[in-house]
Amino acid sequence: MTDKTEKSNLNNNTSDTDTDNIPEASTGTENKSSSTLHPESLKSNTQSDSENTEVSRPEELQTDQAIDDVVRQEGDEVLAAEDSELAKAFVPVKLPWYKKIFAKKKIWIPLTILIILLVLAAVPFSRYKILGLVWKQNIPLVILDAQTHQPVSRATIVLRNVQGLTDSDGKLTLRVPVGNATVTISKHYYKTTQQKLLVPLHDPHTSTITLMATGRQVPLQVIDEISHQPIANATVVADKTSVRTNEKGTAVIVLPANKSSAVGQITTPSSAYNQAAVTIKISSNPGSTNTFQLTPSGKVYFLSNASGKIDVVSTNIDGSDRQTILAGTGNESPTATQFSHSADWKYLALLTTRTSNSSDNGTLYYINPTTGQISTIQSGIQTYISIIGWSADDHLIYTASSATLGSWQSGGELLESYNPATGKSTLLDQTTAEGTSSSDYAAQSIENEFILPNNTVLYTKRWTSSYPTTSVSSSDKQMGIYTINTNGTGIQAIKTFPTDFTTYLSVIENTPDDYYIAQQNIPIPAYYEFIDKTLRVAPSSVNAQTFNNYFSAATTVYYLSPDATSTVWSALHDGNSVIYRGDSNANNPSQIATLNSMYGVAGWFTNNYVLVEKNYSELYIMPKTGLTSNLQPLKITDYFTSSGGH
């Protein structure tokens, strides 16, 4: 049994081995010969073939893999060919257009929603409910008193949860969603009213709604105390209600009918006027009107010796709320004290002696008008100081002359500018000198200082000497006309002239930014005009008499408004003081007042009012538009001056 099994295995092995190793060109004789071998030999061959088979297996695996790849490739090609034939034979089915749309959800779902919205929007009942979700419109409203038909200001309006107050004309515009809505209007001493209205899609018309008063209508008016002009948008508050005046300064306030009066308060936007406490008469007489006057806000500052000392004092422009800003020490000189304020009244300067130091010739101080704090600008110890004035850009211009330097030493005179915003002074120019002693010197001097509207300073410099004892030559020296910016930049020599230590220059103001200059003490005086930053020969009408009249008669002083658009000045005509207002160059003048000769212009208060002084001791205010028979200057206060002028 073992032999049979082995033979069977042997036959199987032999068959497999021979089949794998027979060449394609083998003959049948070779096959026959192999089948008749001796068993031992066969066994030996079988073992040998088996060993050979195991050795050659990697090559067989490569062959099998190659065959598999060929079969797979041929299979893919066959499948691809079949698919190609099927594709050629396939005819696509055309779907209807509506099925194509519904096959694309990203298109048909939004389209369906849009169609539904359009259908709903076409129905009036649902149109505004839908559009009100996304569409808002401005709806104008006007509220009137049902009885007087006057505007009801500061009435509360609520529409679609949006709330606001009516203005002085009873008007209010609210931006709310479109559609039908109910508006509610309420105000103290009025019956609350509700009314249905439609906020349309386009061009809403103004809805006028009337309120029924439950109290008494009281007409009132608010005017400017100085000009008597109406004050618009003034808010009057009294007895839990309020109104706002219209452009005519009028309003109707509703107050309890069982009262004869009510205490109120009046305010204005941006505090343009001082707040005022008033008593409103509640009258049943329809012709009676409560008229109230408001004072423009702001203060004026001045010197006063009412206390026995020279104090710096402030008041409102109606003279109320008088306060001492800086109390005098008792050391102030009545004849040497100078006080100056900037055009906008924001900055104050005081030149005085506040100590008992005999070497103090007058110290220059800056005063903060808000706090009253005082700080020293320039010490007057061994120095002589003179205030020139304030520029439009709020720089204080002054000169300081040393009392200790010899006349032959440089730096004896200084032209300086003080900036209160920084608290610092800037040297604009100074003098030079030569020589050895007070009997042998030549020195410059600074003269004829004017502050120009364009924030520059016009001045002259000339040479003097210990003539005829000086040994200093004048041949290399000149006098000249100069300008410099108030911040110390841009110095210019407008024109220079030869000097012999005796000639000099005189400057007078013709009009703002127009000056006449004379070259004096020469055989034939020469006259020039400095206008618009340019020096030219003066008109033939300018001569020696022009300068004589200027210095011998009352000098005309021009005051430029804070916004540099207008000037005011006064001139004596037929025993009266006539006040004029012109443009920035004093051209196109118009007469705004005629007062007796004791009056003169003292400056501006803001851009709307003109200050007038009387006898250099009383300060008044008037509107820049002028006076009428029923309107006269309003007195502010009495004041003190030591310079013979304000």
Side-chain angles (χ1 to χ4, degrees):
M1 184 172 179
T2 301
D3 293 340
K4 290 181 181 179
T5 302
E6 290 177 354
K7 183 180 288 187
S8 175
N9 291 336
L10 179 63
N11 291 335
N12 290 336
N13 290 337
T14 302
S15 176
D16 293 338
T17 303
D18 291 342
T19 303
D20 291 338
N21 291 280
I22 294 175
E24 293 180 0
S26 297
T27 63
T29 305
E30 292 173 344
N31 292 334
K32 185 177 180 179
S33 174
S34 298
S35 63
T36 58
L37 292 176
H38 190 274
E40 293 295 327
S41 176
L42 181 61
K43 182 178 179 180
S44 176
N45 290 338
T46 303
Q47 293 175 350
S48 177
D49 291 342
S50 177
E51 292 174 358
N52 291 337
T53 301
E54 291 177 0
V55 170
S56 62
R57 183 169 296 170
E59 296 178 356
E60 293 172 1
L61 291 174
Q62 292 177 0
T63 303
D64 292 342
Q65 182 65 38
I67 292 172
D68 290 341
D69 290 342
V70 171
V71 171
R72 187 182 300 109
Q73 180 177 0
E74 290 178 351
D76 291 341
E77 291 176 353
V78 171
L79 290 174
E82 291 177 353
D83 291 342
S84 177
E85 292 299 325
L86 288 173
K88 292 178 181 179
F90 177 74
V91 177
V93 177
K94 293 185 178 180
L95 296 174
W97 65 270
Y98 56 88
K99 289 187 177 182
K100 290 182 180 180
I101 293 176
F102 284 106
K104 299 179 180 180
K105 294 182 178 180
K106 291 183 178 180
I107 296 177
W108 71 264
I109 291 177
L111 183 61
T112 301
I113 295 173
L114 177 61
I115 292 172
I116 293 173
L117 290 176
L118 292 175
V119 171
L120 291 174
V123 179
F125 176 77
S126 57
R127 176 190 305 159
Y128 284 104
K129 288 188 176 181
I130 296 172
L131 294 178
L133 299 174
V134 295
W135 194 307
K136 291 185 177 181
Q137 182 65 272
N138 292 328
I139 181 73
L141 301 164
V142 175
I143 310 303
L144 300 178
D145 185 289
Q147 182 177 348
T148 65
H149 299 289
Q150 294 296 313
V152 179
S153 62
R154 302 188 66 78
T156 300
I157 299 180
V158 181
L159 178 62
R160 287 190 177 275
N161 296 323
V162 180
Q163 181 175 311
L165 293 175
T166 56
D167 62 14
S168 58
D169 295 320
K171 297 179 180 179
L172 176 66
T173 297
L174 296 176
R175 186 168 183 80
V176 295
V178 298
N180 292 297
T182 299
V183 60
T184 302
I185 306 99
S186 61
K187 185 175 182 177
H188 214 58
Y189 303 124
Y190 278 93
K191 182 179 179 181
T192 299
T193 299
Q194 288 188 330
Q195 182 171 312
K196 294 183 181 292
L197 54 79
L198 172 66
V199 182
L201 295 175
H202 300 287
D203 301 326
H205 68 278
T206 300
S207 297
T208 300
I209 303 173
T210 59
L211 288 185
M212 182 63 68
T214 59
R216 178 166 292 159
Q217 292 98 335
V218 179
L220 54 83
Q221 184 178 32
V222 181
I223 62 174
D224 185 301
E225 184 178 10
I226 300 169
S227 66
H228 292 183
Q229 293 299 307
I231 300 176
N233 293 319
T235 300
V236 183
V237 180
D239 213 321
K240 300 180 182 180
T241 188
S242 63
V243 292
R244 181 169 290 177
T245 59
N246 58 24
E247 61 181 8
K248 296 180 179 179
T250 62
V252 174
I253 187 169
V254 177
L255 296 171
N258 60 351
K259 291 185 177 182
S260 61
S261 65
V263 175
Q265 205 167 52
I266 306 178
T267 58
T268 56
S270 304
S271 300
Y273 290 82
N274 292 327
Q275 181 175 297
V278 297
T279 299
I280 304 173
K281 295 179 180 179
I282 305 175
S283 173
S284 59
N285 183 359
S288 64
T289 300
N290 292 271
T291 300
F292 304 105
Q293 298 181 350
L294 295 187
T295 304
S297 60
K299 294 182 177 293
V300 294
Y301 302 87
F302 51 92
L303 298 179
S304 172
N305 62 353
S307 68
K309 301 176 183 179
I310 300 178
D311 305 322
V312 179
V313 178
S314 73
T315 69
N316 293 332
I317 61 174
D318 61 354
S320 63
D321 193 26
R322 183 185 177 103
Q323 297 181 11
T324 298
I325 299 300
L326 179 66
T329 63
N331 294 309
E332 291 81 8
S333 169
T335 59
T337 298
Q338 285 183 274
F339 178 76
S340 182
H341 61 82
S342 60
D344 53 14
W345 295 84
K346 289 171 56 179
Y347 305 107
L348 309 176
L350 176 67
L351 176 61
T352 192
T353 54
R354 291 179 59 81
T355 67
S356 58
N357 189 337
S358 60
S359 297
D360 186 354
N361 298 301
T363 295
L364 182 60
Y365 298 97
Y366 164 67
I367 304 173
N368 184 320
T370 302
T371 64
Q373 182 179 359
I374 185 172
S375 55
T376 299
I377 298 175
Q378 175 72 54
S379 172
I381 305 297
Q382 302 295 339
T383 304
Y384 299 101
I385 302 170
S386 180
I387 294 176
I388 307 302
W390 291 87
S391 63
D393 61 352
D394 291 334
H395 284 71
L396 177 67
I397 310 301
Y398 63 95
T399 59
S401 301
S402 173
T404 58
L405 286 176
S407 54
W408 65 94
Q409 294 176 299
S410 295
E413 294 184 30
L414 308 177
L415 178 64
E416 297 193 86
S417 169
Y418 174 75
N419 182 358
T422 62
K424 296 181 179 179
S425 290
T426 299
L427 178 63
L428 302 182
D429 204 347
Q430 63 180 335
T431 59
T432 61
E434 297 179 22
T436 59
S437 67
S438 59
S439 61
D440 183 19
Y441 75 91
Q444 286 181 318
S445 63
I446 296 174
E447 302 170 342
N448 300 303
E449 305 92 346
F450 288 89
I451 302 173
L452 307 185
N454 60 350
N455 298 316
T456 60
V457 180
L458 171 69
Y459 62 100
T460 64
K461 289 197 294 185
R462 67 160 173 154
W463 284 87
T464 61
S465 69
S466 56
Y467 182 84
T469 60
T470 181
S471 64
V472 180
S473 173
S474 64
S475 61
D476 61 342
K477 296 174 176 56
Q478 293 182 318
M479 62 181 181
I481 307 167
Y482 300 86
T483 61
I484 188 170
N485 295 329
T486 55
N487 61 7
T489 63
I491 187 170
Q492 292 186 8
I494 303 301
K495 186 175 178 61
T496 58
F497 308 86
T499 182
D500 59 2
F501 298 146
T502 61
T503 57
Y504 61 95
L505 298 170
S506 295
V507 181
I508 62 175
E509 183 182 31
N510 179 38
T511 60
D513 209 19
D514 184 8
Y515 301 86
Y516 294 146
I517 303 171
Q519 185 181 4
Q520 303 279 33
N521 206 25
I522 57 176
I524 303 177
Y527 301 99
Y528 302 89
E529 183 179 24
F530 184 75
I531 184 171
D532 295 332
K533 304 178 184 179
T534 303
L535 187 71
R536 64 190 184 189
V537 176
S540 58
S541 59
V542 177
N543 50 40
Q545 190 61 41
T546 305
F547 284 78
N548 292 336
N549 291 339
Y550 183 88
F551 292 114
S552 62
T555 302
T556 299
V557 179
Y558 296 90
Y559 294 89
L560 187 65
S561 62
D563 62 4
T565 61
S566 300
T567 52
V568 289
W569 68 96
S570 57
L572 289 174
H573 296 297
D574 297 331
N576 291 317
S577 178
V578 180
I579 301 177
Y580 296 93
R581 179 168 62 91
D583 59 21
S584 59
N585 292 318
N587 295 323
N588 304 311
S590 61
Q591 182 176 325
I592 61 174
T594 299
L595 303 172
N596 67 50
S597 59
M598 294 184 293
Y599 288 86
V601 173
W604 287 83
F605 185 81
T606 73
N607 297 308
N608 299 318
Y609 309 98
V610 177
L611 295 173
V612 180
E613 54 81 18
K614 179 182 179 182
N615 288 334
Y616 304 117
S617 61
E618 298 178 37
L619 188 62
Y620 293 77
I621 190 168
M622 59 176 281
K624 72 173 184 179
T625 52
L627 301 177
T628 64
S629 59
N630 297 322
L631 182 64
Q632 294 300 306
L634 174 68
K635 183 175 180 178
I636 301 175
T637 184
D638 295 325
Y639 68 95
F640 168 80
T641 180
S642 62
S643 58
H646 183 69

